Amino acid sequence: MKQLLDQVVMEAGKIIVGKEHTLRLALTCLLANGHLLIEDLPGVGKTTLAHTLARLLGLQYQRIQFTSDLLPADIIGVSVYHRGEESFQFHPGPVFTQLLLADEINRATPKAQSALLEAMEERQVTIDGSTRSLPLPFFVIATQNPAHQIGTFPLPESQLDRFLMRLHIGYPDARAERVLLNGEDRRSLLEQLDPCLNLEQLRALQQQVARVHVSDALLDYIQALLKFSRHSPRFNHGLSPRAGLALINSARAWALQAGHSQVLPEDVQTVLSATVAHRLHSDSDTGVREGAGLAQFLLESVPLP
Amino acid sequence: MNPNELGRRPLLALSLITLLLVAPHFVRLDLRISLAFIAVILLRLASLYLPRLHPGRWLLLGITLAGAALIFTLYPLLIGLPAKVALLALMLGLKLMECRRRRDLYVVVFLGYFTLSTHFLFEQGMLLVAYAFVLVIGLSGLLIEASRATSRPGWPLHSLRLAAGLTAQSLPIMLVLFFLFPRIEGPLWNLGVDNSTGKTGLSDSITLGSISQLIRSRAVAFRVDFDQAIPPPRLRYWRGPVLWHTDGRRWSRGRLVETGPVTFRSDADPVGYQVTLEPSPNDWLYALDLPETLPAGATLSADYQISAKNVRNRRYRYAASSRLDYHTGALSERQRRLGLQLPDTVTSRMRALVAGWRAGTDSDRQLVSRALQFFRSEPFYYTLNPPLLETNPVDQFLFDSRRGFCEHYATSFTLLMRLAGIPARVVTGYQGGQRNPLGNYLIVRQSDAHAWSEVWLAGSGWTRIDPTAAVAPERIERSFEFDLDENADPGVPVIFASADSDLLRSVMKQLRLGLDAANASWHRWILGYSRQQQQSLLQLLGFGSLSEFKLALAMVLTTAALLPLLLLLLRRRERIRPDPVQGDYVKFCRRLARRGLVRQPHEGPRDFARRVIRQRPDLQRQVSAIVNLYIALRYGPSDDPQQRRRLHRLVRGFRA
């Protein structure tokens, strides 16, 4: 199994150069059956990353470009009257897919955002009184620009909470950038990619995640982290139980992709920043990227039990 | 609402507690001060519910000035403790008026602690201590409750429980300080206490009527624990000042300057006992006739009176022993001269009376019985309210009024003996006492005060003669208990109470005795804990060699050493107790730390091992074996005792 996942990472590394750790985290997020939010400046490869993952995992793939005039119907679909059959017929929207890339999600109005976020949580949509299930698996990879950019509607905390992880890609280092500048066009490379996994393999991997052993000692550690976040004056509010679950699931998935049969505190620490940074706020909100600093502070403040 | 603003509930509690804090002082303060204080509290309570009653700033200033004026008129110059207490109480009450914020509450509560301690300047009884404990818990509870960020509805049970817990935790410290802290000889708080008020006791002179005033007091003079059975009442003569000199009205001690060892002969067994003397303004001690061994530091005068230094105005406990049957031996020339001294008031009637007795007898002893016979057969009455005797009291009493009290009988008898040429003197002290079956000790009250005579007879030396016994033998045989109100009219003979028939009265008596027994042990063991007892306790503990300064220093140092230990213990309790696997791992980390490879508290085992191996490649095999085993045991699914032992062995064998 590990080889399989390593191969996914290696193939993806051909497109997204020099970002192995980020790729592994993204993969971890999907293995843990969670939605992924990628936040970074335009042009660092957010969309490419999402696209690459969709291709490699062999998933059906749709993309929505969020704009300020996007309507919920543009996401979930619309019923149209057919004159010939004299009835309404439902035209599914782009949400009916296995992997949805929601590009620049914070450019849309809250109304459109919440239509998607509802679908993410329930994994089903309700239109005209009838409930329609979304395909399985169903992942959302959303990208957003940093909140301080003009023309954005920042996601509220309750909606941020639905993403298992938030990743930053960041600028490539000099050597990777050289390869990038020197190499072929990414788009044509993407076309050439072959899927490494099929649906059954993905499902089996997801089931394996749940079987990775979590000992009492590790649960003590997770509880210590949660407790500290709730009592330390540095945080505006503590981590929720949902955040605790997210932490365990991500750590399990990380341990699996790293080839371990049990979760170690290091696994928790590796996924900590990605998993909790978007759920933490300090009392004096400095805005940009403070979550990562807070997560690091949390990590360094809590000793292993 | 501003969280620092005080609500109605804490103010109500604060006012009530303040009232309770000052309440025991009411008996010591002028009635007007007490009433003013209660009025202030009532105004405070009323203005809680009717805010328009709350006095404005200027009115409050006026009230304060009026209160100060009241105190300064009642206690000019603020002399004496009650004056200061009055000032404290009144100003504490007025402080309540301007309590608005939490900070004011803190001020009042801390003033309250201080006020509580002032009670002990006046009294150190058991009940007061219990009362103080309750109030300390109340005050602390209030303090805790007021410090909460948000107040809770309902009874502040949690705060009170916490306060009670804190108070209970302070008890061991209190006990250690009480038993070990160097004691200052004599109560420190005697400084400035107004001692002359409310203290009763015998004085070193009597005029007719002085003892009958004393006898109205039910106050305890002293309590006695006997080493053996308590002697019968007719032998319980507690000897106090001996009076030699008289001017016809007043008897005083005279100038008996005889030093040297005081002795007497006796074949009786010694009777040992311990006396706990209540505070009195005198510097003499009481002992049974006649004292043999004395408490340390006391001296015995030639007329068998014990005097001691540093016993005034404090509760003093001493041991003594006496022989109840004795022969005092020869009479010195000076004692004979003093014992025959006569005032100018001797009348011919008195001379004729004594001459008549002398004519029919040939020995002094017979003459004494003739005199006692005279008191017994003539219509003499024993009364607490004798008619007023004016110019020549002895003459008037012997021949006209014939109603009197022990001092009348003792003084006139002594005078008659002197007229007959027999050396005689008056002895004052206490007679009898009530046995408390609970605790088996004797309570001697001021009402047991007594005066009797001693005459010198050739056969037996100084011999005690109690003419009162001839007139009213009940006075001597039974404890002196009667209803003072029933015997209030002048000249009415005392009706001695028979056995307690009334059930209620006997229950009350039992209760009183029980309370007195508890108080006696309290005085004996707590308040009577003296420097000597502390010394012997220290000897017992093995600290006998330490001087007081060293002892205090040792206590300070011990505290300083204990505090960090306590802190450590508290912090340790918060940590989770490591299991054996974790214990081995911690040991492993400690060994690496000694080589400068310190594990960060948050560093996981795999990261740590990687770092160690990077820095010390030579340790790779050992470290990875230990860490892999540790990871498997602590984070893995299996828990194999064999593997655990292996880890233990590996760690024990590990040398960095």
Side-chain angles (χ1 to χ4, degrees):
Chain A
M1 281 300 173
K2 188 176 183 319
Q3 285 93 14
L4 214 55
L5 290 168
D6 284 345
Q7 199 194 340
V8 173
V9 175
M10 200 190 75
E11 290 292 329
K14 288 180 185 161
I15 314 275
I16 315 287
V17 187
K19 292 285 168 196
E20 190 191 326
H21 188 71
T22 312
L23 284 172
R24 282 188 185 275
L25 278 173
L27 193 59
T28 300
C29 181
L30 300 188
L31 285 180
N33 209 3
H35 304 295
L36 179 64
L37 178 67
I38 304 174
E39 180 183 292
D40 222 318
L41 296 166
V44 292
K46 297 190 292 285
T47 314
T48 316
L49 173 65
H51 216 141
T52 311
L53 281 177
R55 296 264 332 189
L56 285 173
L57 298 184
L59 296 175
Q60 199 189 1
Y61 165 80
Q62 289 278 357
R63 172 179 170 168
I64 312 172
Q65 179 65 48
F66 277 53
T67 56
S68 55
D69 57 355
L70 190 81
L71 292 174
D74 297 333
I75 301 169
I76 53 184
V78 67
S79 293
V80 179
Y81 184 71
H82 273 246
R83 208 176 294 159
E85 296 166 27
E86 296 196 338
S87 67
F88 283 96
Q89 203 175 6
F90 179 65
H91 286 249
V95 77
F96 288 88
T97 182
Q98 285 169 329
L99 195 148
L100 179 71
L101 173 62
D103 226 353
E104 302 193 321
I105 190 170
N106 58 347
R107 288 221 183 278
T109 54
K111 194 176 177 181
Q113 285 173 1
S114 61
L116 173 68
L117 292 159
E118 240 178 273
M120 283 166 60
E121 187 62 21
E122 315 285 330
R123 293 180 195 263
Q124 63 185 22
V125 286
T126 305
I127 302 149
D128 298 341
S130 62
T131 304
R132 289 158 206 273
S133 296
L134 296 174
L136 267 176
F138 175 70
F139 295 119
V140 174
I141 297 180
T143 71
Q144 71 170 353
N145 299 317
H148 63 271
Q149 290 216 330
I150 296 165
T152 56
F153 296 90
L155 292 177
E157 280 151 30
S158 62
Q159 299 193 344
L160 277 178
D161 203 27
R162 304 213 173 134
F163 289 99
L164 182 71
M165 284 190 188
R166 181 179 67 176
L167 292 178
H168 299 283
I169 295 178
Y171 299 118
D173 59 25
R175 214 176 55 192
E177 193 152 30
R178 189 75 170 209
V179 174
L180 206 65
L181 296 174
N182 224 356
E184 267 184 80
D185 178 33
R186 299 294 118 182
R187 221 161 275 284
S188 58
L189 276 178
L190 253 177
E191 310 263 299
Q192 297 162 16
L193 269 186
D194 289 322
C196 297
L197 290 177
N198 57 35
L199 216 54
E200 273 69 47
Q201 284 171 318
L202 183 64
R203 219 167 265 159
L205 279 169
Q206 283 182 343
Q207 278 161 8
Q208 249 184 331
V209 166
R211 287 203 292 272
V212 175
H213 183 73
V214 170
S215 68
D216 284 342
L218 190 94
L219 290 180
D220 286 344
Y221 179 54
I222 295 211
Q223 280 192 306
L225 287 169
L226 296 179
K227 187 178 164 199
F228 182 84
S229 78
R230 288 165 194 172
H231 293 295
S232 166
R234 180 119 180 235
F235 302 112
N236 193 11
H237 51 80
L239 291 171
S240 63
R242 190 198 281 174
L245 281 171
L247 204 51
I248 289 188
N249 285 336
S250 326
R252 274 186 158 133
W254 180 267
L256 180 78
Q257 68 81 29
H260 305 304
S261 58
Q262 69 271 336
V263 183
L264 289 194
E266 286 92 332
D267 300 323
V268 177
Q269 290 170 355
T270 312
V271 299
L272 185 73
S273 177
T275 316
V276 304
H278 59 293
R279 304 172 208 255
L280 286 176
H281 294 275
S282 72
D283 253 350
S284 55
D285 207 323
T286 53
V288 208
R289 294 262 180 124
E290 62 155 10
L294 286 176
Q296 190 62 25
F297 168 72
L298 177 65
L299 191 153
E300 283 169 8
S301 303
V302 180
L304 293 183
Chain B
M1 197 175 82
N2 184 340
N4 283 326
E5 209 80 25
L6 282 177
R8 185 187 290 169
R9 228 163 58 111
L11 276 176
L12 182 66
L14 190 64
S15 310
L16 293 179
I17 280 194
T18 310
L19 184 63
L20 290 177
L21 275 175
V22 179
H25 275 316
F26 288 160
V27 291
R28 300 183 262 271
L29 295 179
D30 191 283
L31 184 65
R32 278 161 285 183
I33 301 276
S34 303
L35 288 179
F37 176 77
I38 293 174
V40 167
I41 296 281
L42 287 180
L43 181 62
R44 170 74 266 187
L45 291 178
S47 63
L48 277 182
Y49 293 94
L50 298 169
R52 70 199 153 83
L53 282 184
H54 198 287
R57 196 192 300 167
W58 293 107
L59 185 55
L60 202 58
L61 183 67
I63 295 177
T64 310
L65 288 178
L70 178 66
I71 288 167
F72 277 99
T73 38
L74 290 176
Y75 306 98
L77 294 176
L78 284 180
I79 291 168
L81 268 183
K84 285 144 197 159
V85 167
L87 191 65
L88 178 66
L90 210 54
M91 294 305 142
L92 183 64
L94 286 168
K95 177 72 194 165
L96 279 180
M97 278 294 172
E98 53 166 23
C99 264
R100 284 200 182 82
R101 296 170 165 280
R102 208 182 273 182
R103 192 179 152 276
D104 300 323
L105 182 134
Y106 294 158
V107 170
V108 174
V109 167
F110 288 123
L111 266 178
Y113 285 124
F114 179 73
T115 311
L116 207 51
S117 67
T118 57
H119 292 303
F120 295 102
L121 297 175
F122 299 90
E123 196 202 327
Q124 301 95 39
M126 200 171 34
L127 290 176
L128 181 68
V129 172
Y131 187 76
F133 257 106
V134 172
L135 283 189
V136 161
I137 293 174
L139 277 173
S140 313
L142 194 59
L143 203 58
I144 295 168
E145 189 64 20
S147 309
R148 289 189 190 286
T150 51
S151 68
R152 313 170 166 190
W155 277 87
L157 282 182
H158 178 263
S159 300
L160 286 176
R161 214 176 306 133
L162 192 60
L166 288 172
T167 312
Q169 281 172 349
S170 70
L171 279 182
I173 302 170
M174 188 188 88
L175 289 180
V176 168
L177 285 177
F178 176 77
F179 283 112
L180 296 184
F181 200 79
R183 301 198 69 81
I184 296 151
E185 202 54 33
L188 190 62
W189 47 81
N190 263 0
L191 299 167
V193 180
D194 197 356
N195 286 313
S196 56
T197 57
K199 293 271 167 57
T200 51
L202 283 176
S203 69
D204 60 352
S205 69
I206 55 172
T207 49
L208 292 184
S210 62
I211 290 187
S212 62
Q213 285 306 312
L214 190 60
I215 212 160
R216 288 162 195 286
S217 161
R218 294 284 300 164
V220 174
F222 52 88
R223 297 181 177 84
V224 194
D225 292 285
F226 281 92
D227 295 344
Q228 55 276 82
I230 298 179
R234 64 187 165 79
L235 290 177
R236 298 204 290 248
Y237 280 85
W238 299 97
R239 194 180 184 90
V242 180
L243 311 179
W244 294 85
H245 181 267
T246 178
D247 59 1
R249 296 188 67 88
R250 183 169 174 274
W251 284 77
S252 56
R253 286 166 92 167
R255 284 195 199 86
L256 182 71
V257 277
E258 284 187 11
T259 50
V262 185
T263 54
F264 58 90
R265 294 199 309 275
S266 174
D267 301 325
D269 291 329
V271 176
Y273 47 88
Q274 288 89 42
V275 179
T276 310
L277 191 65
E278 293 291 306
S280 80
N282 304 322
D283 54 4
W284 60 78
L285 307 176
Y286 298 93
L288 280 179
D289 265 351
L290 285 176
E292 190 182 41
T293 55
L294 304 179
T299 52
L300 193 63
S301 67
D303 48 7
Y304 308 105
Q305 190 186 332
I306 307 176
S307 49
K309 290 189 170 66
N310 295 327
V311 298
R312 282 186 194 186
N313 299 324
R314 47 181 287 220
R315 194 167 279 102
Y316 185 68
R317 189 174 163 80
Y318 59 92
S321 78
S322 300
R323 307 244 188 180
L324 304 186
D325 189 21
Y326 48 86
H327 188 294
T328 59
L331 186 68
S332 76
E333 198 42 47
R334 182 166 179 84
Q335 286 201 16
R336 177 180 295 279
R337 218 175 54 239
L338 283 171
L340 289 174
Q341 177 260 340
L342 285 173
D344 310 334
T345 57
V346 177
T347 59
S348 52
R349 278 202 284 188
M350 290 158 70
R351 284 189 197 281
L353 181 69
V354 174
W357 293 342
R358 185 51 101 187
T361 53
D362 43 4
S363 77
D364 287 352
R365 193 172 289 278
Q366 261 184 312
L367 191 133
V368 168
S369 17
R370 285 287 292 271
L372 288 176
Q373 186 61 37
F374 166 77
F375 281 109
R376 214 173 337 229
S377 53
E378 295 295 316
F380 280 97
Y381 291 110
Y382 185 80
T383 174
L384 278 186
N385 289 296
L388 196 61
L389 304 169
E390 280 154 5
T391 46
N392 191 339
V394 177
D395 183 76
Q396 264 182 297
F397 168 69
L398 279 175
F399 300 104
D400 300 335
S401 75
R402 299 196 162 178
R403 278 154 205 273
F405 192 62
C406 61
E407 56 199 354
H408 297 79
Y409 294 101
T411 54
S412 51
F413 178 84
T414 307
L415 198 57
L416 289 176
M417 288 300 107
R418 286 183 177 183
L419 275 172
I422 305 173
R425 59 197 185 190
V426 173
V427 183
T428 58
Y430 295 87
Q431 196 279 327
Q434 180 187 19
R435 194 179 85 88
N436 190 342
L438 307 155
N440 197 26
Y441 61 94
L442 205 64
I443 307 170
V444 179
R445 299 176 187 279
Q446 297 297 352
S447 57
D448 293 317
H450 194 49
W452 60 91
S453 275
E454 272 184 340
V455 295
W456 193 85
L457 300 174
S460 55
W462 284 107
T463 309
R464 180 175 65 227
I465 305 290
D466 190 352
T468 313
V471 178
E474 303 93 330
R475 162 71 184 86
I476 307 305
E477 288 299 327
R478 260 219 316 273
S479 177
F480 194 33
E481 272 193 71
F482 50 84
D483 193 336
L484 287 169
D485 295 331
E486 276 178 21
N487 299 287
D489 294 325
V492 171
V494 166
I495 306 153
F496 287 91
S498 51
D500 291 308
S501 50
D502 201 344
L503 180 70
L504 184 71
R505 192 180 280 191
S506 78
V507 167
M508 286 300 290
K509 190 178 160 191
Q510 282 296 317
L511 265 178
R512 266 210 314 273
L513 287 175
L515 195 65
D516 192 85
N519 248 322
S521 338
W522 174 261
H523 286 316
R524 182 168 168 188
W525 297 113
I526 306 296
L527 301 181
Y529 181 69
S530 66
R531 201 175 192 157
Q532 289 89 347
Q533 276 160 309
Q534 187 180 41
Q535 275 302 320
S536 47
L537 177 73
L538 288 174
Q539 294 284 1
L540 203 71
L541 293 175
F543 298 128
S545 55
L546 290 182
S547 72
E548 287 183 346
F549 173 73
K550 278 185 191 155
L551 185 67
L553 190 71
M555 288 175 78
V556 170
L557 289 180
T558 312
T559 315
L562 276 180
L563 267 181
L565 209 69
L566 202 68
L567 277 179
L568 218 69
L569 210 72
L570 280 176
R571 287 187 56 158
R572 208 186 159 77
R573 217 172 52 173
E574 284 180 359
R575 261 188 280 166
I576 300 164
R577 217 166 168 64
D579 58 272
V581 172
Q582 185 69 1
D584 284 332
Y585 180 62
V586 167
K587 203 191 283 174
F588 165 72
C589 294
R590 220 179 291 138
R591 289 197 173 159
L592 283 172
R594 267 183 241 142
R595 292 283 172 272
L597 296 160
V598 185
R599 187 176 71 91
Q600 299 299 312
H602 64 270
E603 198 170 18
R606 201 189 294 140
D607 289 350
F608 181 51
R610 207 171 287 152
R611 189 159 62 89
V612 169
I613 291 167
R614 201 164 52 233
Q615 291 184 19
R616 293 282 304 272
D618 53 311
L619 294 175
Q620 183 184 9
R621 217 170 45 84
Q622 282 175 299
V623 169
S624 46
I626 288 175
V627 170
N628 285 339
L629 202 52
Y630 168 71
I631 287 173
L633 282 169
R634 186 159 172 83
Y635 296 104
S638 73
D639 187 22
D640 186 359
Q642 210 180 328
Q643 298 287 348
R644 241 191 281 171
R645 278 195 295 276
R646 206 180 127 225
L647 175 69
H648 189 70
R649 267 200 316 278
L650 281 174
V651 170
R652 214 173 38 194
F654 175 74
R655 294 283 176 274

PDB file of all heavy atoms in Angstrom, chain A residues 282-297:
ATOM      1  N   SER A 282      -6.281  33.963  17.720  1.00  0.00           N
ATOM      2  CA  SER A 282      -5.764  34.552  18.949  1.00  0.00           C
ATOM      3  C   SER A 282      -6.698  35.667  19.368  1.00  0.00           C
ATOM      4  O   SER A 282      -7.607  36.064  18.642  1.00  0.00           O
ATOM      5  CB  SER A 282      -4.365  35.102  18.742  1.00  0.00           C
ATOM      6  OG  SER A 282      -4.431  36.247  17.959  1.00  0.00           O
ATOM      7  N   ASP A 283      -6.471  36.145  20.601  1.00  0.00           N
ATOM      8  CA  ASP A 283      -7.295  37.233  21.104  1.00  0.00           C
ATOM      9  C   ASP A 283      -7.089  38.490  20.270  1.00  0.00           C
ATOM     10  O   ASP A 283      -8.020  39.182  19.904  1.00  0.00           O
ATOM     11  CB  ASP A 283      -6.951  37.501  22.573  1.00  0.00           C
ATOM     12  CG  ASP A 283      -8.068  37.010  23.472  1.00  0.00           C
ATOM     13  OD1 ASP A 283      -9.135  36.661  22.926  1.00  0.00           O
ATOM     14  OD2 ASP A 283      -7.875  36.977  24.685  1.00  0.00           O
ATOM     15  N   SER A 284      -5.826  38.765  19.996  1.00  0.00           N
ATOM     16  CA  SER A 284      -5.535  39.937  19.165  1.00  0.00           C
ATOM     17  C   SER A 284      -5.337  39.432  17.739  1.00  0.00           C
ATOM     18  O   SER A 284      -4.256  39.018  17.351  1.00  0.00           O
ATOM     19  CB  SER A 284      -4.265  40.608  19.670  1.00  0.00           C
ATOM     20  OG  SER A 284      -3.228  39.661  19.696  1.00  0.00           O
ATOM     21  N   ASP A 285      -6.415  39.450  16.978  1.00  0.00           N
ATOM     22  CA  ASP A 285      -6.367  38.830  15.653  1.00  0.00           C
ATOM     23  C   ASP A 285      -5.510  39.666  14.719  1.00  0.00           C
ATOM     24  O   ASP A 285      -5.853  40.778  14.360  1.00  0.00           O
ATOM     25  CB  ASP A 285      -7.802  38.740  15.108  1.00  0.00           C
ATOM     26  CG  ASP A 285      -7.909  37.594  14.127  1.00  0.00           C
ATOM     27  OD1 ASP A 285      -6.935  37.366  13.383  1.00  0.00           O
ATOM     28  OD2 ASP A 285      -8.955  36.920  14.120  1.00  0.00           O
ATOM     29  N   THR A 286      -4.370  39.118  14.326  1.00  0.00           N
ATOM     30  CA  THR A 286      -3.512  39.871  13.424  1.00  0.00           C
ATOM     31  C   THR A 286      -3.820  39.546  11.975  1.00  0.00           C
ATOM     32  O   THR A 286      -3.182  40.069  11.077  1.00  0.00           O
ATOM     33  CB  THR A 286      -2.031  39.566  13.692  1.00  0.00           C
ATOM     34  OG1 THR A 286      -1.871  38.158  13.648  1.00  0.00           O
ATOM     35  CG2 THR A 286      -1.597  40.086  15.040  1.00  0.00           C
ATOM     36  N   GLY A 287      -4.789  38.650  11.755  1.00  0.00           N
ATOM     37  CA  GLY A 287      -5.214  38.377  10.387  1.00  0.00           C
ATOM     38  C   GLY A 287      -4.375  37.309   9.718  1.00  0.00           C
ATOM     39  O   GLY A 287      -4.482  36.145  10.058  1.00  0.00           O
ATOM     40  N   VAL A 288      -3.502  37.731   8.856  1.00  0.00           N
ATOM     41  CA  VAL A 288      -2.843  36.827   7.933  1.00  0.00           C
ATOM     42  C   VAL A 288      -1.988  35.762   8.607  1.00  0.00           C
ATOM     43  O   VAL A 288      -1.140  36.069   9.415  1.00  0.00           O
ATOM     44  CB  VAL A 288      -1.900  37.627   7.024  1.00  0.00           C
ATOM     45  CG1 VAL A 288      -1.747  36.919   5.703  1.00  0.00           C
ATOM     46  CG2 VAL A 288      -2.384  39.035   6.862  1.00  0.00           C
ATOM     47  N   ARG A 289      -2.231  34.551   8.289  1.00  0.00           N
ATOM     48  CA  ARG A 289      -1.328  33.472   8.611  1.00  0.00           C
ATOM     49  C   ARG A 289      -1.018  33.317  10.091  1.00  0.00           C
ATOM     50  O   ARG A 289      -0.006  32.765  10.450  1.00  0.00           O
ATOM     51  CB  ARG A 289       0.017  33.685   7.880  1.00  0.00           C
ATOM     52  CG  ARG A 289      -0.106  33.572   6.388  1.00  0.00           C
ATOM     53  CD  ARG A 289       0.293  32.195   5.929  1.00  0.00           C
ATOM     54  NE  ARG A 289       0.164  32.101   4.506  1.00  0.00           N
ATOM     55  CZ  ARG A 289       1.158  31.753   3.692  1.00  0.00           C
ATOM     56  NH1 ARG A 289       2.351  31.490   4.200  1.00  0.00           N
ATOM     57  NH2 ARG A 289       0.955  31.649   2.417  1.00  0.00           N
ATOM     58  N   GLU A 290      -1.865  33.886  10.940  1.00  0.00           N
ATOM     59  CA  GLU A 290      -1.541  33.750  12.355  1.00  0.00           C
ATOM     60  C   GLU A 290      -1.794  32.325  12.823  1.00  0.00           C
ATOM     61  O   GLU A 290      -1.184  31.866  13.765  1.00  0.00           O
ATOM     62  CB  GLU A 290      -2.370  34.709  13.193  1.00  0.00           C
ATOM     63  CG  GLU A 290      -3.862  34.423  13.080  1.00  0.00           C
ATOM     64  CD  GLU A 290      -4.610  34.901  14.293  1.00  0.00           C
ATOM     65  OE1 GLU A 290      -4.006  35.596  15.108  1.00  0.00           O
ATOM     66  OE2 GLU A 290      -5.784  34.560  14.425  1.00  0.00           O
ATOM     67  N   GLY A 291      -2.707  31.610  12.134  1.00  0.00           N
ATOM     68  CA  GLY A 291      -3.041  30.247  12.537  1.00  0.00           C
ATOM     69  C   GLY A 291      -1.825  29.352  12.621  1.00  0.00           C
ATOM     70  O   GLY A 291      -1.687  28.595  13.577  1.00  0.00           O
ATOM     71  N   ALA A 292      -0.920  29.480  11.651  1.00  0.00           N
ATOM     72  CA  ALA A 292       0.254  28.609  11.644  1.00  0.00           C
ATOM     73  C   ALA A 292       1.109  28.856  12.872  1.00  0.00           C
ATOM     74  O   ALA A 292       1.579  27.924  13.520  1.00  0.00           O
ATOM     75  CB  ALA A 292       1.066  28.862  10.366  1.00  0.00           C
ATOM     76  N   GLY A 293       1.272  30.149  13.224  1.00  0.00           N
ATOM     77  CA  GLY A 293       2.059  30.486  14.411  1.00  0.00           C
ATOM     78  C   GLY A 293       1.419  29.943  15.671  1.00  0.00           C
ATOM     79  O   GLY A 293       2.091  29.414  16.553  1.00  0.00           O
ATOM     80  N   LEU A 294       0.094  30.053  15.726  1.00  0.00           N
ATOM     81  CA  LEU A 294      -0.614  29.547  16.896  1.00  0.00           C
ATOM     82  C   LEU A 294      -0.473  28.040  17.009  1.00  0.00           C
ATOM     83  O   LEU A 294      -0.277  27.498  18.093  1.00  0.00           O
ATOM     84  CB  LEU A 294      -2.098  29.923  16.807  1.00  0.00           C
ATOM     85  CG  LEU A 294      -2.430  31.386  17.083  1.00  0.00           C
ATOM     86  CD1 LEU A 294      -3.905  31.630  16.856  1.00  0.00           C
ATOM     87  CD2 LEU A 294      -2.045  31.753  18.499  1.00  0.00           C
ATOM     88  N   ALA A 295      -0.569  27.355  15.881  1.00  0.00           N
ATOM     89  CA  ALA A 295      -0.435  25.903  15.890  1.00  0.00           C
ATOM     90  C   ALA A 295       0.966  25.509  16.358  1.00  0.00           C
ATOM     91  O   ALA A 295       1.129  24.569  17.147  1.00  0.00           O
ATOM     92  CB  ALA A 295      -0.703  25.340  14.508  1.00  0.00           C
ATOM     93  N   GLN A 296       1.954  26.247  15.917  1.00  0.00           N
ATOM     94  CA  GLN A 296       3.320  25.958  16.337  1.00  0.00           C
ATOM     95  C   GLN A 296       3.475  26.187  17.842  1.00  0.00           C
ATOM     96  O   GLN A 296       4.082  25.392  18.549  1.00  0.00           O
ATOM     97  CB  GLN A 296       4.298  26.855  15.553  1.00  0.00           C
ATOM     98  CG  GLN A 296       5.761  26.490  15.724  1.00  0.00           C
ATOM     99  CD  GLN A 296       6.052  25.085  15.213  1.00  0.00           C
ATOM    100  OE1 GLN A 296       5.343  24.557  14.356  1.00  0.00           O
ATOM    101  NE2 GLN A 296       7.066  24.454  15.775  1.00  0.00           N
ATOM    102  N   PHE A 297       2.855  27.285  18.317  1.00  0.00           N
ATOM    103  CA  PHE A 297       2.889  27.587  19.749  1.00  0.00           C
ATOM    104  C   PHE A 297       2.236  26.459  20.532  1.00  0.00           C
ATOM    105  O   PHE A 297       2.757  25.994  21.556  1.00  0.00           O
ATOM    106  CB  PHE A 297       2.170  28.915  20.000  1.00  0.00           C
ATOM    107  CG  PHE A 297       1.892  29.197  21.444  1.00  0.00           C
ATOM    108  CD1 PHE A 297       2.935  29.538  22.300  1.00  0.00           C
ATOM    109  CD2 PHE A 297       0.608  29.125  21.949  1.00  0.00           C
ATOM    110  CE1 PHE A 297       2.683  29.801  23.633  1.00  0.00           C
ATOM    111  CE2 PHE A 297       0.361  29.385  23.275  1.00  0.00           C
ATOM    112  CZ  PHE A 297       1.402  29.715  24.110  1.00  0.00           C
TER     113      PHE A 297
END
